[in-house]
Amino acid sequence: MQETLSIGQVAERTGLSVHALRFYEREGILAHPVRRAPGGNRRYTEDDVEWLTLCIVLRASGMPVPSIRRYTELVREGAGNERDRLALLKQHRADVQVQMERLSECLDLINYKVGVYEDILEDVLTEHPCDPMGN
Amino acid sequence: MQETLSIGQVAERTGLSVHALRFYEREGILAHPVRRAPGGNRRYTEDDVEWLTLCIVLRASGMPVPSIRRYTELVREGAGNERDRLALLKQHRADVQVQMERLSECLDLINYKVGVYEDILEDVLTEHPCDPMGN
DNA sequence: GTAGGAGCTAGAGCCGACTCTAGATCAAGC
DNA sequence: GCTTGATCTAGAGTCGGCTCTAGCTCCTAC
């Protein structure tokens, strides 16, 4: 008999809130509909946690919930649609790369600005060693 | 007499909507309160456009509007608070770097998954050259 | 003079992704 | 028996960042 986890335990392990876990389930983002204990409480397996971990990474990298749902549906359908899954993942990979490139460009400008202010502060110190704020 | 730009022209040049431009102004994100033509229409200068360009980069890299407002206020106050501006920019730079590292970690997992599916598809092709989907 | 088009203000609406609430159930410990 | 605490459902609320609407004023061109 494999051990199962309560929603609270899964929340603790994944870092998601119990609210978010129920929300993800409603949104169709669980590979298998969660099993229930007699009484109705959700019982998660290790596989569920592993799947959630992947979903968390996809969300953290900006994949919208509907796309994760689509991917989940493909996995649920079982073997035969690997091409579709691959296409979806590759599309997301490209999106993430674009995000990173954009951030990198932003970083360039921010670095430039930081440099400007560092120069200003250095000049102030050099020219007015006892008056660091230029007043 | 320096030439000025209408809100529509600025929208076109910055890629922001006229709505967003007015929204930014309400949010206190313009270095100088925009000048108005007689009749009340906003007249933007090249400096305004340049400032907006910086704000767009800050937003694109995830700086929340209130932080941009804070930065704007510092700039508006004039010389003397360069240390604060530098601190704010450095904080944001650190945030952007964290974002990029997180994305990079996500990318690793996505790449791994892509690899898994590529292997699966290759095996299928090798073992069943006339039955690429394994059916 | 009148129709179009750009602009104005104040304020409402929207979207995604949660987050929280109310009110009920249930099991365990005192 | 009763409290406590975790869980349940359905549905409402929140938050950030715009986006859109209504109703008005201008200016320009015909």
Side-chain angles (χ1 to χ4, degrees), chain A residues 57 71 80 83 85-86 89-90 92-93 106 110-111 117-118 121 133, chain B residues 57 71 80 83 85-86 89-90 92-93 103 106 110-111 117-118 121 133:
Chain A
V57 166
Y71 183 56
R83 250 170 238 291
R85 299 188 209 170
L86 179 58
L89 288 175
K90 276 186 162 173
H92 181 55
R93 175 168 69 180
C106 294
I110 295 162
N111 276 327
Y117 280 114
E118 278 174 343
L121 287 170
M133 294 323 281
Chain B
V57 166
Y71 183 58
R83 254 171 237 287
R85 299 187 209 174
L86 179 57
L89 288 175
K90 276 185 164 174
H92 181 56
R93 175 169 67 177
L103 280 182
C106 293
I110 295 162
N111 276 326
Y117 280 114
E118 280 174 342
L121 288 169
M133 293 325 278

PDB file of all heavy atoms in Angstrom, chain A residues 57 71 80 83 85-86 89-90 92-93 106 110-111 117-118 121 133, chain B residues 57 71 80 83 85-86 89-90 92-93 103 106 110-111 117-118 121 133:
ATOM      1  N   VAL A  57       7.222  24.836 -12.285  1.00  0.00           N
ATOM      2  CA  VAL A  57       8.314  25.356 -13.110  1.00  0.00           C
ATOM      3  C   VAL A  57       7.759  26.014 -14.377  1.00  0.00           C
ATOM      4  O   VAL A  57       8.207  27.091 -14.791  1.00  0.00           O
ATOM      5  CB  VAL A  57       9.315  24.235 -13.453  1.00  0.00           C
ATOM      6  CG1 VAL A  57      10.251  24.668 -14.560  1.00  0.00           C
ATOM      7  CG2 VAL A  57      10.091  23.836 -12.215  1.00  0.00           C
ATOM      8  N   TYR A  71      -1.213  20.895 -22.098  1.00  0.00           N
ATOM      9  CA  TYR A  71      -0.137  19.918 -21.940  1.00  0.00           C
ATOM     10  C   TYR A  71      -0.624  18.751 -21.074  1.00  0.00           C
ATOM     11  O   TYR A  71      -0.400  17.582 -21.404  1.00  0.00           O
ATOM     12  CB  TYR A  71       1.071  20.603 -21.303  1.00  0.00           C
ATOM     13  CG  TYR A  71       2.278  19.719 -21.158  1.00  0.00           C
ATOM     14  CD1 TYR A  71       2.847  19.072 -22.251  1.00  0.00           C
ATOM     15  CD2 TYR A  71       2.859  19.528 -19.910  1.00  0.00           C
ATOM     16  CE1 TYR A  71       3.959  18.265 -22.108  1.00  0.00           C
ATOM     17  CE2 TYR A  71       3.972  18.722 -19.757  1.00  0.00           C
ATOM     18  CZ  TYR A  71       4.518  18.090 -20.859  1.00  0.00           C
ATOM     19  OH  TYR A  71       5.614  17.286 -20.707  1.00  0.00           O
ATOM     20  N   GLY A  80       1.245   8.471 -27.991  1.00  0.00           N
ATOM     21  CA  GLY A  80       0.736   8.703 -29.336  1.00  0.00           C
ATOM     22  C   GLY A  80       0.770  10.161 -29.737  1.00  0.00           C
ATOM     23  O   GLY A  80       0.747  10.482 -30.910  1.00  0.00           O
ATOM     24  N   ARG A  83       4.615  14.116 -30.323  1.00  0.00           N
ATOM     25  CA  ARG A  83       4.983  15.221 -31.197  1.00  0.00           C
ATOM     26  C   ARG A  83       4.333  16.522 -30.727  1.00  0.00           C
ATOM     27  O   ARG A  83       4.958  17.589 -30.724  1.00  0.00           O
ATOM     28  CB  ARG A  83       4.501  14.926 -32.619  1.00  0.00           C
ATOM     29  CG  ARG A  83       5.595  14.641 -33.597  1.00  0.00           C
ATOM     30  CD  ARG A  83       4.998  14.123 -34.903  1.00  0.00           C
ATOM     31  NE  ARG A  83       5.550  12.810 -35.201  1.00  0.00           N
ATOM     32  CZ  ARG A  83       6.824  12.630 -35.556  1.00  0.00           C
ATOM     33  NH1 ARG A  83       7.648  13.657 -35.660  1.00  0.00           N
ATOM     34  NH2 ARG A  83       7.279  11.422 -35.808  1.00  0.00           N
ATOM     35  N   ARG A  85       3.270  17.193 -27.680  1.00  0.00           N
ATOM     36  CA  ARG A  85       3.866  17.611 -26.400  1.00  0.00           C
ATOM     37  C   ARG A  85       5.194  18.305 -26.650  1.00  0.00           C
ATOM     38  O   ARG A  85       5.501  19.338 -26.053  1.00  0.00           O
ATOM     39  CB  ARG A  85       4.107  16.400 -25.503  1.00  0.00           C
ATOM     40  CG  ARG A  85       2.842  15.647 -25.160  1.00  0.00           C
ATOM     41  CD  ARG A  85       3.152  14.583 -24.117  1.00  0.00           C
ATOM     42  NE  ARG A  85       2.262  13.433 -24.206  1.00  0.00           N
ATOM     43  CZ  ARG A  85       2.428  12.295 -23.543  1.00  0.00           C
ATOM     44  NH1 ARG A  85       3.478  12.159 -22.724  1.00  0.00           N
ATOM     45  NH2 ARG A  85       1.587  11.302 -23.664  1.00  0.00           N
ATOM     46  N   LEU A  86       5.975  17.698 -27.538  1.00  0.00           N
ATOM     47  CA  LEU A  86       7.282  18.270 -27.843  1.00  0.00           C
ATOM     48  C   LEU A  86       7.129  19.668 -28.428  1.00  0.00           C
ATOM     49  O   LEU A  86       7.846  20.599 -28.044  1.00  0.00           O
ATOM     50  CB  LEU A  86       8.013  17.344 -28.834  1.00  0.00           C
ATOM     51  CG  LEU A  86       9.397  17.806 -29.297  1.00  0.00           C
ATOM     52  CD1 LEU A  86      10.333  18.003 -28.106  1.00  0.00           C
ATOM     53  CD2 LEU A  86      10.004  16.794 -30.272  1.00  0.00           C
ATOM     54  N   LEU A  89       6.307  22.128 -25.699  1.00  0.00           N
ATOM     55  CA  LEU A  89       7.460  22.431 -24.858  1.00  0.00           C
ATOM     56  C   LEU A  89       8.467  23.305 -25.598  1.00  0.00           C
ATOM     57  O   LEU A  89       9.046  24.234 -25.024  1.00  0.00           O
ATOM     58  CB  LEU A  89       8.136  21.134 -24.408  1.00  0.00           C
ATOM     59  CG  LEU A  89       7.371  20.309 -23.364  1.00  0.00           C
ATOM     60  CD1 LEU A  89       8.089  18.996 -23.112  1.00  0.00           C
ATOM     61  CD2 LEU A  89       7.235  21.095 -22.062  1.00  0.00           C
ATOM     62  N   LYS A  90       8.666  23.018 -26.884  1.00  0.00           N
ATOM     63  CA  LYS A  90       9.626  23.809 -27.652  1.00  0.00           C
ATOM     64  C   LYS A  90       9.145  25.244 -27.803  1.00  0.00           C
ATOM     65  O   LYS A  90       9.943  26.182 -27.754  1.00  0.00           O
ATOM     66  CB  LYS A  90       9.823  23.183 -29.035  1.00  0.00           C
ATOM     67  CG  LYS A  90      10.840  22.053 -29.041  1.00  0.00           C
ATOM     68  CD  LYS A  90      11.084  21.590 -30.464  1.00  0.00           C
ATOM     69  CE  LYS A  90      12.375  20.799 -30.587  1.00  0.00           C
ATOM     70  NZ  LYS A  90      12.509  20.215 -31.947  1.00  0.00           N
ATOM     71  N   HIS A  92       7.292  26.817 -25.696  1.00  0.00           N
ATOM     72  CA  HIS A  92       7.501  27.488 -24.410  1.00  0.00           C
ATOM     73  C   HIS A  92       8.983  27.799 -24.194  1.00  0.00           C
ATOM     74  O   HIS A  92       9.321  28.871 -23.706  1.00  0.00           O
ATOM     75  CB  HIS A  92       6.968  26.628 -23.263  1.00  0.00           C
ATOM     76  CG  HIS A  92       7.135  27.287 -21.930  1.00  0.00           C
ATOM     77  ND1 HIS A  92       6.643  28.545 -21.662  1.00  0.00           N
ATOM     78  CD2 HIS A  92       7.758  26.900 -20.790  1.00  0.00           C
ATOM     79  CE1 HIS A  92       6.949  28.881 -20.422  1.00  0.00           C
ATOM     80  NE2 HIS A  92       7.631  27.905 -19.878  1.00  0.00           N
ATOM     81  N   ARG A  93       9.816  26.877 -24.592  1.00  0.00           N
ATOM     82  CA  ARG A  93      11.263  27.126 -24.460  1.00  0.00           C
ATOM     83  C   ARG A  93      11.647  28.396 -25.225  1.00  0.00           C
ATOM     84  O   ARG A  93      12.396  29.241 -24.714  1.00  0.00           O
ATOM     85  CB  ARG A  93      12.048  25.934 -24.991  1.00  0.00           C
ATOM     86  CG  ARG A  93      13.543  26.192 -24.998  1.00  0.00           C
ATOM     87  CD  ARG A  93      14.337  24.948 -25.252  1.00  0.00           C
ATOM     88  NE  ARG A  93      14.163  24.463 -26.622  1.00  0.00           N
ATOM     89  CZ  ARG A  93      14.770  23.377 -27.099  1.00  0.00           C
ATOM     90  NH1 ARG A  93      15.573  22.677 -26.311  1.00  0.00           N
ATOM     91  NH2 ARG A  93      14.572  22.999 -28.334  1.00  0.00           N
ATOM     92  N   CYS A 106      17.319  44.791 -20.840  1.00  0.00           N
ATOM     93  CA  CYS A 106      16.970  45.713 -19.754  1.00  0.00           C
ATOM     94  C   CYS A 106      18.146  45.871 -18.801  1.00  0.00           C
ATOM     95  O   CYS A 106      18.483  46.980 -18.380  1.00  0.00           O
ATOM     96  CB  CYS A 106      15.749  45.200 -18.993  1.00  0.00           C
ATOM     97  SG  CYS A 106      14.231  45.191 -19.974  1.00  0.00           S
ATOM     98  N   ILE A 110      20.077  49.152 -17.268  1.00  0.00           N
ATOM     99  CA  ILE A 110      20.143  49.365 -15.818  1.00  0.00           C
ATOM    100  C   ILE A 110      21.606  49.474 -15.383  1.00  0.00           C
ATOM    101  O   ILE A 110      21.980  50.348 -14.606  1.00  0.00           O
ATOM    102  CB  ILE A 110      19.412  48.235 -15.078  1.00  0.00           C
ATOM    103  CG1 ILE A 110      17.922  48.277 -15.416  1.00  0.00           C
ATOM    104  CG2 ILE A 110      19.618  48.352 -13.570  1.00  0.00           C
ATOM    105  CD1 ILE A 110      17.170  46.996 -15.102  1.00  0.00           C
ATOM    106  N   ASN A 111      22.425  48.603 -15.920  1.00  0.00           N
ATOM    107  CA  ASN A 111      23.854  48.655 -15.599  1.00  0.00           C
ATOM    108  C   ASN A 111      24.457  49.987 -16.020  1.00  0.00           C
ATOM    109  O   ASN A 111      25.270  50.572 -15.300  1.00  0.00           O
ATOM    110  CB  ASN A 111      24.592  47.515 -16.300  1.00  0.00           C
ATOM    111  CG  ASN A 111      24.525  46.238 -15.505  1.00  0.00           C
ATOM    112  OD1 ASN A 111      24.507  46.254 -14.280  1.00  0.00           O
ATOM    113  ND2 ASN A 111      24.481  45.114 -16.199  1.00  0.00           N
ATOM    114  N   TYR A 117      25.442  56.775 -12.108  1.00  0.00           N
ATOM    115  CA  TYR A 117      25.317  57.279 -10.737  1.00  0.00           C
ATOM    116  C   TYR A 117      26.557  56.998  -9.913  1.00  0.00           C
ATOM    117  O   TYR A 117      26.937  57.807  -9.061  1.00  0.00           O
ATOM    118  CB  TYR A 117      24.061  56.718 -10.060  1.00  0.00           C
ATOM    119  CG  TYR A 117      22.828  57.472 -10.489  1.00  0.00           C
ATOM    120  CD1 TYR A 117      21.835  56.875 -11.239  1.00  0.00           C
ATOM    121  CD2 TYR A 117      22.675  58.812 -10.157  1.00  0.00           C
ATOM    122  CE1 TYR A 117      20.718  57.584 -11.649  1.00  0.00           C
ATOM    123  CE2 TYR A 117      21.567  59.534 -10.566  1.00  0.00           C
ATOM    124  CZ  TYR A 117      20.589  58.909 -11.315  1.00  0.00           C
ATOM    125  OH  TYR A 117      19.494  59.623 -11.717  1.00  0.00           O
ATOM    126  N   GLU A 118      27.206  55.876 -10.188  1.00  0.00           N
ATOM    127  CA  GLU A 118      28.446  55.593  -9.457  1.00  0.00           C
ATOM    128  C   GLU A 118      29.493  56.635  -9.809  1.00  0.00           C
ATOM    129  O   GLU A 118      30.233  57.107  -8.943  1.00  0.00           O
ATOM    130  CB  GLU A 118      28.930  54.177  -9.772  1.00  0.00           C
ATOM    131  CG  GLU A 118      28.195  53.139  -8.923  1.00  0.00           C
ATOM    132  CD  GLU A 118      28.534  51.696  -9.296  1.00  0.00           C
ATOM    133  OE1 GLU A 118      29.077  51.469 -10.406  1.00  0.00           O
ATOM    134  OE2 GLU A 118      28.233  50.807  -8.481  1.00  0.00           O
ATOM    135  N   LEU A 121      28.690  59.939  -8.011  1.00  0.00           N
ATOM    136  CA  LEU A 121      29.008  59.907  -6.582  1.00  0.00           C
ATOM    137  C   LEU A 121      30.512  59.940  -6.366  1.00  0.00           C
ATOM    138  O   LEU A 121      31.003  60.579  -5.426  1.00  0.00           O
ATOM    139  CB  LEU A 121      28.394  58.658  -5.944  1.00  0.00           C
ATOM    140  CG  LEU A 121      26.873  58.770  -5.791  1.00  0.00           C
ATOM    141  CD1 LEU A 121      26.273  57.443  -5.393  1.00  0.00           C
ATOM    142  CD2 LEU A 121      26.517  59.859  -4.772  1.00  0.00           C
ATOM    143  N   MET A 133      27.403  65.145  -0.379  1.00  0.00           N
ATOM    144  CA  MET A 133      26.134  65.301  -1.097  1.00  0.00           C
ATOM    145  C   MET A 133      26.122  66.544  -1.972  1.00  0.00           C
ATOM    146  O   MET A 133      25.098  66.876  -2.570  1.00  0.00           O
ATOM    147  CB  MET A 133      24.956  65.352  -0.128  1.00  0.00           C
ATOM    148  CG  MET A 133      24.734  64.038   0.610  1.00  0.00           C
ATOM    149  SD  MET A 133      25.037  62.580  -0.401  1.00  0.00           S
ATOM    150  CE  MET A 133      23.514  62.538  -1.337  1.00  0.00           C
TER     151      MET A 133
ATOM    152  N   VAL B  57      11.523  50.326 -19.983  1.00  0.00           N
ATOM    153  CA  VAL B  57      12.509  49.277 -19.710  1.00  0.00           C
ATOM    154  C   VAL B  57      12.382  48.791 -18.268  1.00  0.00           C
ATOM    155  O   VAL B  57      12.453  47.588 -17.996  1.00  0.00           O
ATOM    156  CB  VAL B  57      13.932  49.800 -19.995  1.00  0.00           C
ATOM    157  CG1 VAL B  57      14.986  48.882 -19.411  1.00  0.00           C
ATOM    158  CG2 VAL B  57      14.132  49.959 -21.494  1.00  0.00           C
ATOM    159  N   TYR B  71      11.260  56.362  -7.890  1.00  0.00           N
ATOM    160  CA  TYR B  71      12.439  56.778  -8.636  1.00  0.00           C
ATOM    161  C   TYR B  71      12.186  58.134  -9.300  1.00  0.00           C
ATOM    162  O   TYR B  71      13.018  59.045  -9.253  1.00  0.00           O
ATOM    163  CB  TYR B  71      12.788  55.716  -9.676  1.00  0.00           C
ATOM    164  CG  TYR B  71      14.035  55.997 -10.472  1.00  0.00           C
ATOM    165  CD1 TYR B  71      15.267  56.175  -9.848  1.00  0.00           C
ATOM    166  CD2 TYR B  71      13.986  56.078 -11.860  1.00  0.00           C
ATOM    167  CE1 TYR B  71      16.406  56.429 -10.588  1.00  0.00           C
ATOM    168  CE2 TYR B  71      15.125  56.324 -12.605  1.00  0.00           C
ATOM    169  CZ  TYR B  71      16.332  56.497 -11.959  1.00  0.00           C
ATOM    170  OH  TYR B  71      17.463  56.749 -12.694  1.00  0.00           O
ATOM    171  N   GLY B  80      21.305  65.662  -5.258  1.00  0.00           N
ATOM    172  CA  GLY B  80      21.451  65.530  -3.817  1.00  0.00           C
ATOM    173  C   GLY B  80      21.030  64.167  -3.297  1.00  0.00           C
ATOM    174  O   GLY B  80      21.414  63.767  -2.209  1.00  0.00           O
ATOM    175  N   ARG B  83      22.546  58.949  -4.118  1.00  0.00           N
ATOM    176  CA  ARG B  83      22.741  57.689  -3.405  1.00  0.00           C
ATOM    177  C   ARG B  83      21.461  56.850  -3.383  1.00  0.00           C
ATOM    178  O   ARG B  83      21.488  55.637  -3.565  1.00  0.00           O
ATOM    179  CB  ARG B  83      23.167  57.982  -1.964  1.00  0.00           C
ATOM    180  CG  ARG B  83      24.608  57.704  -1.693  1.00  0.00           C
ATOM    181  CD  ARG B  83      24.984  58.235  -0.317  1.00  0.00           C
ATOM    182  NE  ARG B  83      26.087  59.163  -0.447  1.00  0.00           N
ATOM    183  CZ  ARG B  83      27.337  58.758  -0.719  1.00  0.00           C
ATOM    184  NH1 ARG B  83      27.597  57.473  -0.884  1.00  0.00           N
ATOM    185  NH2 ARG B  83      28.304  59.636  -0.833  1.00  0.00           N
ATOM    186  N   ARG B  85      18.925  57.063  -5.464  1.00  0.00           N
ATOM    187  CA  ARG B  85      18.618  56.580  -6.815  1.00  0.00           C
ATOM    188  C   ARG B  85      19.456  55.363  -7.138  1.00  0.00           C
ATOM    189  O   ARG B  85      18.967  54.370  -7.692  1.00  0.00           O
ATOM    190  CB  ARG B  85      18.919  57.661  -7.850  1.00  0.00           C
ATOM    191  CG  ARG B  85      18.106  58.926  -7.670  1.00  0.00           C
ATOM    192  CD  ARG B  85      18.366  59.854  -8.839  1.00  0.00           C
ATOM    193  NE  ARG B  85      18.221  61.250  -8.469  1.00  0.00           N
ATOM    194  CZ  ARG B  85      18.499  62.263  -9.275  1.00  0.00           C
ATOM    195  NH1 ARG B  85      18.959  62.026 -10.494  1.00  0.00           N
ATOM    196  NH2 ARG B  85      18.330  63.504  -8.873  1.00  0.00           N
ATOM    197  N   LEU B  86      20.741  55.444  -6.787  1.00  0.00           N
ATOM    198  CA  LEU B  86      21.651  54.333  -7.064  1.00  0.00           C
ATOM    199  C   LEU B  86      21.189  53.083  -6.320  1.00  0.00           C
ATOM    200  O   LEU B  86      21.158  51.983  -6.890  1.00  0.00           O
ATOM    201  CB  LEU B  86      23.065  54.726  -6.635  1.00  0.00           C
ATOM    202  CG  LEU B  86      24.154  53.673  -6.828  1.00  0.00           C
ATOM    203  CD1 LEU B  86      24.227  53.222  -8.279  1.00  0.00           C
ATOM    204  CD2 LEU B  86      25.512  54.203  -6.366  1.00  0.00           C
ATOM    205  N   LEU B  89      18.207  51.570  -8.049  1.00  0.00           N
ATOM    206  CA  LEU B  89      18.582  50.897  -9.298  1.00  0.00           C
ATOM    207  C   LEU B  89      19.316  49.592  -9.023  1.00  0.00           C
ATOM    208  O   LEU B  89      19.098  48.586  -9.692  1.00  0.00           O
ATOM    209  CB  LEU B  89      19.454  51.822 -10.154  1.00  0.00           C
ATOM    210  CG  LEU B  89      18.731  53.001 -10.803  1.00  0.00           C
ATOM    211  CD1 LEU B  89      19.735  53.900 -11.508  1.00  0.00           C
ATOM    212  CD2 LEU B  89      17.674  52.516 -11.791  1.00  0.00           C
ATOM    213  N   LYS B  90      20.190  49.630  -8.018  1.00  0.00           N
ATOM    214  CA  LYS B  90      20.937  48.404  -7.712  1.00  0.00           C
ATOM    215  C   LYS B  90      20.013  47.315  -7.190  1.00  0.00           C
ATOM    216  O   LYS B  90      20.189  46.143  -7.511  1.00  0.00           O
ATOM    217  CB  LYS B  90      22.010  48.709  -6.659  1.00  0.00           C
ATOM    218  CG  LYS B  90      23.290  49.274  -7.250  1.00  0.00           C
ATOM    219  CD  LYS B  90      24.335  49.417  -6.165  1.00  0.00           C
ATOM    220  CE  LYS B  90      25.723  49.594  -6.732  1.00  0.00           C
ATOM    221  NZ  LYS B  90      26.705  49.877  -5.643  1.00  0.00           N
ATOM    222  N   HIS B  92      16.924  46.972  -7.998  1.00  0.00           N
ATOM    223  CA  HIS B  92      16.195  46.431  -9.154  1.00  0.00           C
ATOM    224  C   HIS B  92      17.103  45.536  -9.989  1.00  0.00           C
ATOM    225  O   HIS B  92      16.674  44.477 -10.468  1.00  0.00           O
ATOM    226  CB  HIS B  92      15.618  47.558 -10.008  1.00  0.00           C
ATOM    227  CG  HIS B  92      14.842  47.048 -11.180  1.00  0.00           C
ATOM    228  ND1 HIS B  92      13.779  46.175 -11.044  1.00  0.00           N
ATOM    229  CD2 HIS B  92      14.980  47.235 -12.516  1.00  0.00           C
ATOM    230  CE1 HIS B  92      13.309  45.877 -12.239  1.00  0.00           C
ATOM    231  NE2 HIS B  92      14.013  46.497 -13.145  1.00  0.00           N
ATOM    232  N   ARG B  93      18.324  45.955 -10.138  1.00  0.00           N
ATOM    233  CA  ARG B  93      19.259  45.115 -10.897  1.00  0.00           C
ATOM    234  C   ARG B  93      19.365  43.724 -10.269  1.00  0.00           C
ATOM    235  O   ARG B  93      19.328  42.711 -10.963  1.00  0.00           O
ATOM    236  CB  ARG B  93      20.639  45.769 -10.930  1.00  0.00           C
ATOM    237  CG  ARG B  93      21.668  44.898 -11.602  1.00  0.00           C
ATOM    238  CD  ARG B  93      22.945  45.641 -11.871  1.00  0.00           C
ATOM    239  NE  ARG B  93      23.643  45.999 -10.642  1.00  0.00           N
ATOM    240  CZ  ARG B  93      24.824  46.600 -10.617  1.00  0.00           C
ATOM    241  NH1 ARG B  93      25.414  46.939 -11.746  1.00  0.00           N
ATOM    242  NH2 ARG B  93      25.403  46.882  -9.474  1.00  0.00           N
ATOM    243  N   LEU B 103      14.687  31.877 -14.360  1.00  0.00           N
ATOM    244  CA  LEU B 103      14.307  31.468 -15.715  1.00  0.00           C
ATOM    245  C   LEU B 103      15.292  30.453 -16.255  1.00  0.00           C
ATOM    246  O   LEU B 103      14.913  29.479 -16.904  1.00  0.00           O
ATOM    247  CB  LEU B 103      14.253  32.685 -16.638  1.00  0.00           C
ATOM    248  CG  LEU B 103      12.997  33.526 -16.542  1.00  0.00           C
ATOM    249  CD1 LEU B 103      13.061  34.657 -17.550  1.00  0.00           C
ATOM    250  CD2 LEU B 103      11.755  32.687 -16.790  1.00  0.00           C
ATOM    251  N   CYS B 106      14.515  27.127 -14.863  1.00  0.00           N
ATOM    252  CA  CYS B 106      13.340  26.572 -15.541  1.00  0.00           C
ATOM    253  C   CYS B 106      13.738  26.033 -16.900  1.00  0.00           C
ATOM    254  O   CYS B 106      13.328  24.936 -17.302  1.00  0.00           O
ATOM    255  CB  CYS B 106      12.266  27.651 -15.700  1.00  0.00           C
ATOM    256  SG  CYS B 106      11.559  28.205 -14.140  1.00  0.00           S
ATOM    257  N   ILE B 110      13.084  22.430 -18.761  1.00  0.00           N
ATOM    258  CA  ILE B 110      12.367  22.370 -20.035  1.00  0.00           C
ATOM    259  C   ILE B 110      13.253  21.698 -21.081  1.00  0.00           C
ATOM    260  O   ILE B 110      12.805  20.835 -21.844  1.00  0.00           O
ATOM    261  CB  ILE B 110      11.952  23.788 -20.478  1.00  0.00           C
ATOM    262  CG1 ILE B 110      10.935  24.359 -19.486  1.00  0.00           C
ATOM    263  CG2 ILE B 110      11.355  23.759 -21.881  1.00  0.00           C
ATOM    264  CD1 ILE B 110      10.774  25.867 -19.548  1.00  0.00           C
ATOM    265  N   ASN B 111      14.518  22.043 -21.100  1.00  0.00           N
ATOM    266  CA  ASN B 111      15.436  21.416 -22.039  1.00  0.00           C
ATOM    267  C   ASN B 111      15.520  19.912 -21.805  1.00  0.00           C
ATOM    268  O   ASN B 111      15.549  19.121 -22.752  1.00  0.00           O
ATOM    269  CB  ASN B 111      16.839  22.022 -21.906  1.00  0.00           C
ATOM    270  CG  ASN B 111      16.966  23.297 -22.716  1.00  0.00           C
ATOM    271  OD1 ASN B 111      16.370  23.420 -23.782  1.00  0.00           O
ATOM    272  ND2 ASN B 111      17.734  24.243 -22.212  1.00  0.00           N
ATOM    273  N   TYR B 117      11.496  13.893 -24.908  1.00  0.00           N
ATOM    274  CA  TYR B 117      10.550  13.640 -26.003  1.00  0.00           C
ATOM    275  C   TYR B 117      11.259  13.442 -27.329  1.00  0.00           C
ATOM    276  O   TYR B 117      10.815  12.646 -28.166  1.00  0.00           O
ATOM    277  CB  TYR B 117       9.507  14.763 -26.074  1.00  0.00           C
ATOM    278  CG  TYR B 117       8.424  14.576 -25.031  1.00  0.00           C
ATOM    279  CD1 TYR B 117       8.271  15.457 -23.978  1.00  0.00           C
ATOM    280  CD2 TYR B 117       7.572  13.474 -25.099  1.00  0.00           C
ATOM    281  CE1 TYR B 117       7.291  15.256 -23.013  1.00  0.00           C
ATOM    282  CE2 TYR B 117       6.593  13.261 -24.140  1.00  0.00           C
ATOM    283  CZ  TYR B 117       6.451  14.160 -23.097  1.00  0.00           C
ATOM    284  OH  TYR B 117       5.490  13.952 -22.162  1.00  0.00           O
ATOM    285  N   GLU B 118      12.360  14.143 -27.516  1.00  0.00           N
ATOM    286  CA  GLU B 118      13.102  13.923 -28.769  1.00  0.00           C
ATOM    287  C   GLU B 118      13.625  12.494 -28.831  1.00  0.00           C
ATOM    288  O   GLU B 118      13.576  11.855 -29.885  1.00  0.00           O
ATOM    289  CB  GLU B 118      14.245  14.944 -28.891  1.00  0.00           C
ATOM    290  CG  GLU B 118      13.736  16.293 -29.390  1.00  0.00           C
ATOM    291  CD  GLU B 118      14.789  17.388 -29.393  1.00  0.00           C
ATOM    292  OE1 GLU B 118      15.827  17.235 -28.701  1.00  0.00           O
ATOM    293  OE2 GLU B 118      14.569  18.409 -30.081  1.00  0.00           O
ATOM    294  N   LEU B 121      10.738  10.116 -29.651  1.00  0.00           N
ATOM    295  CA  LEU B 121      10.337  10.166 -31.056  1.00  0.00           C
ATOM    296  C   LEU B 121      11.375   9.505 -31.944  1.00  0.00           C
ATOM    297  O   LEU B 121      11.038   8.838 -32.920  1.00  0.00           O
ATOM    298  CB  LEU B 121      10.091  11.610 -31.474  1.00  0.00           C
ATOM    299  CG  LEU B 121       8.807  12.188 -30.866  1.00  0.00           C
ATOM    300  CD1 LEU B 121       8.733  13.683 -31.084  1.00  0.00           C
ATOM    301  CD2 LEU B 121       7.577  11.504 -31.452  1.00  0.00           C
ATOM    302  N   MET B 133       4.062   7.210 -35.368  1.00  0.00           N
ATOM    303  CA  MET B 133       3.374   7.509 -34.118  1.00  0.00           C
ATOM    304  C   MET B 133       3.218   6.286 -33.220  1.00  0.00           C
ATOM    305  O   MET B 133       2.607   6.352 -32.163  1.00  0.00           O
ATOM    306  CB  MET B 133       1.989   8.121 -34.378  1.00  0.00           C
ATOM    307  CG  MET B 133       2.045   9.500 -35.015  1.00  0.00           C
ATOM    308  SD  MET B 133       3.440  10.509 -34.461  1.00  0.00           S
ATOM    309  CE  MET B 133       2.767  11.144 -32.931  1.00  0.00           C
TER     310      MET B 133
END
